[in-house]
């Protein structure tokens, strides 16, 4: 029996696999500039341990990307619903760059809420955190309404990055996706973002608006 179970784990449970999910690849038109935004992640490995990556970024068409974030690390399943991830984050952007250690917990909470909490520690000792949550409300077999929220927190003021201490930004989104196939779904929606506290003051000092809403359209795909 033990030999049979070992063979089953090897042939089924321990199979190596891989996946790339482009959760957002979108266009954000605006009165002053048309912008783009992306978020993607992927992994390769078995059921319990995987090598994972994640990337986020944004910018305006016709110019260089304003923010590029790249993460790589190890992903470990702590139960059937949640994973813990540890790795390195490197930011590429105009101005000061940061290299940060990352510890994250992500998974599917009760009521099918997709959640993620990330803690970052930079090479300069700056501690920040980000938490995201989204929910896929299936209206029909192909039409999905997805509310989404993101909160960013900093343990200290970081003037050179325009970050104030405490809760420094909130982003809320609502996207309506039509799945042509399970792997491919174009969407439309709206995204609202507001900087708070010290981050809002830094934005005003740079002649930036601390809040704004944009229509968005894009595509979600995985393979």
């Amino acid at each position: 029996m033990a030999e049979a179970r070992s063979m089953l784990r090897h042939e089924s449970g321990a199979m190596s696999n891989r996946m790339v999910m482009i959760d957002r690849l979108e266009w954000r038109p605006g009165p002053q500039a048309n912008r783009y935004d992306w978020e993607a992640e992927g992994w390769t490995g078995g059921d319990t341990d995987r090598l994972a990556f994640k990337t986020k970024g944004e910018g305006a068409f016709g110019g260089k990307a304003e923010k590029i974030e790249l993460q790589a690390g190890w992903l470990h399943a702590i139960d059937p619903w949640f994973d813990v991830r540890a790795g390195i984050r490197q930011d590429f952007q105009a101005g000061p760059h940061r290299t940060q250690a990352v510890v994250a917990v992500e998974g599917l909470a009760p009521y099918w809420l997709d959640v993620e909490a990330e803690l970052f520690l930079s090479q300069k000792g700056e501690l920040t955190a980000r938490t995201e949550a989204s929910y896929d409300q299936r209206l029909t077999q192909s039409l999905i309404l997805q509310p989404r929220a993101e909160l960013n927190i900093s343990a200290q003021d970081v003037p050179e990055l325009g970050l104030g201490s405490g809760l420094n930004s909130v982003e809320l989104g609502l996207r309506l996706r039509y799945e042509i196939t399970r792997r491919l779904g174009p969407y439309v929606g709206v995204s609202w973002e507001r900087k708070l506290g010290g981050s809002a003051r830094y934005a005003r000092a740079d002649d930036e608006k601390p809040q704004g809403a944009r229509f968005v359209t894009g595509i979600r795909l995985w393979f």
Side-chain angles (χ1 to χ4, degrees):
M1 181 60 75
E3 182 179 354
R5 288 175 175 168
S6 177
M7 183 66 71
L8 179 62
R9 284 197 298 270
H10 176 73
E11 293 182 348
S12 299
M15 288 180 63
S16 180
N17 213 330
R18 63 188 62 84
M19 178 179 180
V20 174
M21 164 70 80
I22 302 174
D23 198 41
R24 297 201 316 270
L25 181 61
E26 66 189 29
W27 173 53
R28 298 182 169 196
Q32 297 179 343
N34 293 326
R35 301 181 60 82
Y36 56 87
D37 180 282
W38 79 82
E39 179 172 352
E41 59 186 337
W43 53 264
T44 180
D47 292 337
T48 304
D49 294 288
R50 300 170 178 174
L51 179 64
F53 79 90
K54 179 178 179 178
T55 178
K56 301 179 69 170
E58 62 180 73
F61 286 102
K64 294 182 179 178
E66 297 170 5
K67 294 181 181 177
I68 301 177
E69 172 188 325
L70 181 62
Q71 295 187 31
W74 168 69
L75 187 73
H76 178 73
I78 53 178
D79 70 16
W81 305 103
F82 280 90
D83 300 327
V84 62
R85 174 164 49 84
I88 296 293
R89 166 182 166 179
Q90 180 66 53
D91 294 340
F92 304 91
Q93 59 196 25
H97 293 183
R98 291 290 189 273
T99 301
Q100 305 180 70
V102 183
V103 176
V105 177
E106 59 191 45
L108 200 59
Y111 303 102
W112 304 103
L113 192 65
D114 195 358
V115 297
E116 181 177 29
E118 298 172 292
L119 189 65
F120 307 107
L121 180 63
S122 78
Q123 83 275 23
K124 294 193 174 185
E126 298 145 349
L127 186 65
T128 57
R130 178 173 62 206
T131 181
E132 299 178 56
S134 65
Y135 177 75
D136 279 1
Q137 176 62 55
R138 191 168 289 277
L139 304 178
T140 69
Q141 288 296 321
S142 301
L143 201 61
I144 295 101
L145 185 65
Q146 185 196 62
R148 176 181 174 274
E150 177 182 318
L151 305 178
N152 288 280
I153 302 166
S154 176
Q156 63 287 299
D157 274 317
V158 189
E160 64 182 7
L161 297 179
L163 295 179
S165 62
L167 179 61
N168 57 59
S169 71
V170 177
E171 181 174 355
L172 303 176
L174 186 65
R175 292 168 175 81
L176 183 64
R177 184 173 75 246
Y178 180 77
E179 290 187 344
I180 299 172
T181 69
R182 291 294 305 276
R183 300 186 177 210
L184 178 64
Y187 61 80
V188 296
V190 62
S191 178
W192 175 83
E193 183 177 4
R194 179 177 175 81
K195 295 182 178 179
L196 304 169
S199 296
R201 289 194 294 273
Y202 292 132
R204 293 189 188 98
D206 290 337
D207 293 328
E208 296 178 8
K209 293 182 179 179
Q211 69 173 348
R214 283 180 180 266
F215 166 80
V216 302
T217 182
I219 194 167
R220 178 180 186 266
L221 69 157
W222 60 272
F223 51 88

